[in-house]
Amino acid sequence: MSRQIAIIGSSGGNLYNLGGKDPRRLLGEILIQMESADLSCAALQFIAAEASMDQAKPDTRATLYSWKMSQDEPVIAAQGTLQEVNEAARQLDQDIAEQISLGEIDGIIVMSADPEGTNRLVFEAAARHKIPVTGTGGTSMAGIQSRGVHVIAASGTTGTTNRTRAVTFVTSLCKHWRMPYRPVIGSSAGAGTGNDALSSPWKRINLRGIMMASLPGFIAMALILAASKVPGLSSLSTVFELMIKALPVILAVIAAKQVSELDEVSIVAGIVAGVLSTEGGIIGGIIGGIGAGLLVHYIFRKCVEWRFPATTVNIAAGGLAGLISGLAVYFLIAPIALAAGEGIRGLIEMLVSFSPAIAGLIAGLLIWPAIIGGVYHAAILPIVLLEMERTGNSFLGAVDMVGLVMVSAGITLANIVAPRDKGEAAVAAPGFAMNMGFGTFVEAAYPFMFSNKLVFGGAIMSAGLGGLLVGLFEVRGTAYVPSFFAPTLSNNAFGFTISMLASLLCSFLITVILNKLSLGRRPKADVSM
């Protein structure tokens, strides 16, 4: 039979700014971790004010949450002014104290409670029955301990997050009862647990995910590069150089957060590691971030097991993890990572310089099979980002725009202008708008390409033509930006524009012709009587 837990507290003073202002998310994270440990919630008394308790007044709006056994979730028990909610909370305090006296509560989780007011009866009962208590809130926990309550772990709130507090609470209780517990990651917004255990951070290392999540930083850099070319804005070139140095930090933060899944703690570790990894370029940033994420996980777990205060756990995990990983990159890995990046860029430049037109043609012909086969995000996108790290634009980025985005735009436009049936026009219109307006969602062309092999062949041919022109004009550019704006981010606006128009028109004309031929081959309906 699972242990029964009571959750007691309020949105607090300092806690208010560290998760307390969103009570459902705060409580949801605790419930997720409790479920992982086979602990059940038997009672809840949580007062959520609409301001920090340090500034709250009797007329401040507040909400009282209690536990609904039949729904197995937190419910609103009362709403009104803080004074009115406190009155309702005192009745709930009496009810939970009775549960403790009847032996229905095995442990208590506390956050910024009021042992002298709205929670007095609960802690008096907990002291009498030696109920183990764990919680945060320096002042409240000191007051609870002074009443003789059996406190097994106590900490301040500073530096904690919803997840780190929840993991600390449940770890303390499970260690006290010698129960197994594996923290989980998952939505902290309510019901349900994640599928990935916090004890398996290696499984969350995903280079493709790190690259995709970091892409906005590269696009921001490209925008600054374009703006620096405008007369009167040449001073932005120094900003561009600064942003190049920031790219490893961005990648390190993304990597650390994805690997550790410990919110702000992992972000801090990623920043520290990223700053120390800048000499290794974006490869160094990725390595530093992954290392920081792994170390955050292990340091956090060990500190919790050793019963460090939650604030100290966060400081140790975030600070030490970032330092250790970052210093390892700074002194050992940075030269190797930088050389690897330069080697990949050098290889691309060598192939392109040998015959730009042939390189563009081959890249264009292969880019659709690459994205359909899953190779694009795994191999091509990282190379695009490596190219952009140095110059702010990319040869393969230009091929991406002309070979994927413009070809998709041409196919969808054809199915708006000359569809095989009216339903296809409705399907094509949103895709065309996204291709032109955002430089993405090339998958909009899939329904038309997969339903007609000749349209598929036309897409590959059009992409090859666009790639050929990119090579002839020696264009460097990027996708993932509005198509009308993309030429301004390239090194050759005229050449990029011609290449984009050629791909779009070629795929458009091929698709229109094939649609017309398809309509012509359809048997006419028999209208005879």
Side-chain angles (χ1 to χ4, degrees):
M1 188 173 179
S2 64
R3 301 275 185 171
Q4 303 297 305
I5 307 300
I7 303 173
I8 306 296
S10 72
S11 52
N14 192 24
L15 177 63
Y16 181 81
N17 298 309
L18 298 171
K21 66 174 63 177
D22 189 349
R24 289 196 176 274
R25 185 174 293 275
L26 179 151
L27 295 171
E29 188 65 67
I30 296 173
L31 294 171
I32 285 172
Q33 302 302 332
M34 284 173 53
E35 183 179 346
S36 175
D38 195 28
L39 302 177
S40 299
C41 185
L44 169 65
Q45 184 218 48
F46 190 86
I47 300 172
E50 294 186 1
S52 168
M53 290 295 186
D54 293 335
Q55 286 86 40
K57 299 177 181 178
D59 60 351
T60 298
R61 301 296 297 177
T63 301
L64 173 64
Y65 289 88
S66 65
W67 187 253
K68 189 79 169 180
M69 295 296 292
S70 59
Q71 299 179 16
D72 198 33
E73 65 179 13
V75 296
I76 294 175
Q79 285 182 302
T81 65
L82 183 58
Q83 184 174 355
E84 293 168 343
V85 166
N86 281 339
E87 289 298 325
R90 289 188 178 92
Q91 179 58 51
L92 195 54
D93 179 45
Q94 182 176 341
D95 295 341
I96 299 174
E98 290 177 3
Q99 285 183 267
I100 294 173
S101 298
L102 293 171
E104 297 175 358
I105 303 292
D106 299 306
I108 301 176
I109 290 174
V110 179
M111 293 167 289
S112 300
D114 180 10
E116 297 180 0
T118 53
N119 307 125
R120 179 177 60 84
L121 297 178
V122 162
F123 293 117
E124 287 178 356
R128 287 195 304 270
H129 295 277
K130 302 299 180 184
I131 301 295
V133 173
T134 180
T136 58
T139 303
S140 66
M141 292 307 297
I144 291 168
Q145 288 175 308
S146 69
R147 291 178 174 269
V149 176
H150 180 35
V151 175
I152 59 173
S155 171
T157 306
T158 302
T160 62
T161 68
N162 287 341
R163 178 158 298 161
T164 59
R165 280 192 302 274
V167 172
T168 302
F169 295 152
V170 177
T171 299
S172 299
L173 291 171
C174 289
K175 191 166 185 179
H176 174 76
W177 289 317
R178 299 182 180 179
M179 295 172 56
Y181 165 52
R182 295 183 67 187
V184 296
I185 63 170
S187 172
S188 58
T193 61
N195 294 322
D196 298 322
L198 213 68
S199 55
S200 304
W202 293 93
K203 295 181 180 179
R204 293 194 295 275
I205 297 175
N206 185 332
L207 295 179
R208 181 171 66 178
I210 294 169
M211 290 287 190
M212 284 299 296
S214 304
L215 185 59
F218 288 82
I219 299 301
M221 180 182 67
L223 292 172
I224 290 295
L225 176 63
S228 68
K229 297 177 181 179
V230 176
L233 298 178
S234 59
S235 60
L236 287 176
S237 60
T238 56
V239 177
F240 172 73
E241 294 172 1
L242 180 62
M243 292 194 69
I244 288 179
K245 296 178 181 179
L247 292 177
V249 181
I250 294 172
L251 285 153
V253 171
I254 297 295
K257 188 173 187 305
Q258 289 187 1
V259 171
S260 75
E261 283 289 348
L262 281 171
D263 301 323
E264 288 90 339
V265 179
S266 56
I267 291 174
V268 171
I271 292 172
V272 174
V275 169
L276 292 171
S277 302
T278 53
E279 295 300 319
I282 65 174
I283 294 178
I286 292 172
I287 295 172
I290 291 174
L294 294 171
L295 287 169
V296 162
H297 165 82
Y298 288 111
I299 294 174
F300 180 86
R301 288 292 300 274
K302 282 299 179 184
C303 288
V304 170
E305 289 174 6
W306 295 334
R307 298 192 180 185
F308 284 14
T311 299
T312 305
V313 171
N314 284 18
I315 292 172
L320 290 179
L323 276 175
I324 294 170
S325 180
L327 289 172
V329 173
Y330 184 85
F331 287 110
L332 301 174
I333 301 172
I336 300 172
L338 186 62
E342 292 292 344
I344 294 171
R345 282 190 291 265
L347 178 61
I348 295 297
E349 291 173 0
M350 182 182 70
L351 293 174
V352 172
S353 64
F354 176 74
S355 178
I358 293 177
L361 174 63
I362 294 173
L365 292 173
L366 294 178
I367 200 161
W368 276 107
I371 193 169
I372 292 171
V375 177
Y376 173 85
H377 293 100
I380 296 178
L381 181 62
I383 295 173
V384 169
L385 299 187
L386 279 168
E387 287 188 272
M388 291 183 69
E389 180 187 18
R390 173 183 288 179
T391 61
N393 45 41
S394 159
F395 175 77
L396 287 178
V399 175
D400 182 343
M401 174 59 84
V402 303
L404 293 177
V405 179
M406 288 295 98
V407 170
S408 178
I411 293 172
T412 51
L413 179 60
N415 282 282
I416 295 172
V417 175
R420 289 177 297 182
D421 59 62
K422 293 181 179 179
E424 290 187 340
V427 172
F432 175 74
M434 291 188 71
N435 290 155
M436 299 303 294
F438 300 97
T440 187
F441 194 44
V442 301
E443 295 84 356
Y446 282 0
F448 313 107
M449 294 169 61
F450 295 156
S451 63
N452 189 329
K453 293 181 179 179
L454 293 177
V455 172
F456 198 142
I460 293 176
M461 183 187 305
S462 303
L465 172 63
L468 175 67
L469 292 172
V470 164
L472 285 174
F473 287 109
E474 298 186 354
V475 175
R476 302 290 187 276
T478 184
Y480 301 102
V481 295
S483 299
F484 299 106
F485 187 61
T488 64
L489 302 183
S490 72
N491 65 328
N492 185 339
F494 175 77
F496 202 12
T497 302
I498 296 298
S499 304
M500 291 169 63
L501 288 174
S503 293
L504 188 150
L505 290 174
C506 184
S507 59
F508 171 79
L509 293 173
I510 290 173
T511 306
V512 167
I513 292 170
L514 291 173
N515 283 356
K516 294 290 186 182
L517 292 175
S518 177
L519 288 172
R521 287 195 296 267
R522 290 183 180 179
K524 294 182 179 180
D526 186 0
V527 294
S528 62
M529 299 297 292

